[in-house]
């Protein structure tokens, strides 16, 4: 199964962009997935399978 975040960053899936930076991006999730109005996801551009797989650089990318 392809990574949904990588698919959004590559443009294969649409998103409402809040910010795009070299190391991280921020976007609004699809309305059916939003936890609350204004709920924004910030993710590093570096792919990882899960939190335990992420590099230290990925954790600081959105900082």
């Amino acid at each position: 199964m392809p990574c949904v975040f990588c698919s959004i960053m590559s443009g294969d899936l649409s998103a409402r962009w809040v910010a795009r930076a070299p190391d991280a991006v921020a976007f609004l999730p699809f309305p059916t997935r939003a936890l609350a109005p204004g709920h924004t996801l910030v993710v590093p551009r570096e792919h990882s399978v899960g939190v335990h797989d992420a590099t230290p650089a990925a954790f600081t990318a959105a900082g």
Side-chain angles (χ1 to χ4, degrees), residues 29-60:
F30 299 105
T32 58
R33 304 245 187 231
L35 297 177
H39 173 211
T40 304
L41 294 171
V42 179
V43 296
R45 288 189 181 267
E46 179 182 308
H47 174 81
S48 63
V49 175
V51 174
H52 299 290
D53 186 47
T55 65
F59 281 110
T60 60

Side-chain angles (χ1 to χ4, degrees), residues 8 15-21 24-29 38-42:
I8 290 170
R16 294 191 53 181
W17 294 102
V18 174
R20 295 183 208 188
V25 296
F27 55 90
L28 301 173
H39 173 211
T40 304
L41 294 171
V42 179

